[in-house]
Amino acid sequence: GQQLNQSPQSMFIQEGEDVSMNCTSSSIFNTWLWYKQDPGEGPVLLIALYKAGELTSNGRLTAQFGITRKDSFLNISASIPSDVGIYFCAGQVRGAQKLVFGQGTRLTINP
Amino acid sequence: DGGITQSPKYLFRKEGQNVTLSCEQNLNHDAMYWYRQDPGQGLRLIYYSQIVNDFQKGDIAEGYSVSREKKESFPLTVTSAQKNPTAFYLCASGHIRDRINTEAFFGQGTRLTVV
């Protein structure tokens, strides 16, 4: 299947710190999506991106669709305890008809 | 209430039995997906459907079957041919606009345990 490389795999930070994670691929994407998953629950959509270069914010979250269409990043500013969870990137490869997911970034916050 | 519903939340089956997981959406979404998630892992695509009466294999379709007889329903059957069926199964749905899959929304998942 299509490969999405998501990094880092895990992050351990202090409350109040900013967080950055990204996804890269060798394929060109039409869509980039960012999700958060809490234990035992389905992923919840955070941000959707559809145009190269697009920068979108949702509260303390900011995500960008890379200019090359092969990458995307998600930033979280001033982290709080409820930000703990697993963050996934996902996207549709140009010419394909399915959504593929990264392996996830597990975020842990020390109070 | 609009949304996507998976049932049941927890399911136990004996080895060798087929089991069907339900997924229903009332969002009028064209596309529906089934993913499998193992502990500490990402989501792997099992099957997806873009339109009624049509579906395609994902990356790990072996041992699974689906049907899409209605737009709002996309049940997944885990057959006895699936070697390691114990996992967390997630269903999702989303619109298609100009052949582009837009944001997909997930159900709450079904945790299947085969004993």
Side-chain angles (χ1 to χ4, degrees), chain A residues 53-70:
Chain A
E54 180 180 358
L55 184 71
T56 298
S57 292
N58 177 8
R60 293 178 295 105
L61 278 61
T62 302
Q64 185 162 30
F65 194 138
I67 292 290
T68 64
R69 307 186 71 97
K70 295 181 179 181

Side-chain angles (χ1 to χ4, degrees), chain B residues 4 11-12 20 35 63 83 87 104 110:
Chain B
I4 180 166
L11 191 55
F12 294 86
T20 297
Y35 292 89
K83 298 301 180 190
T110 294

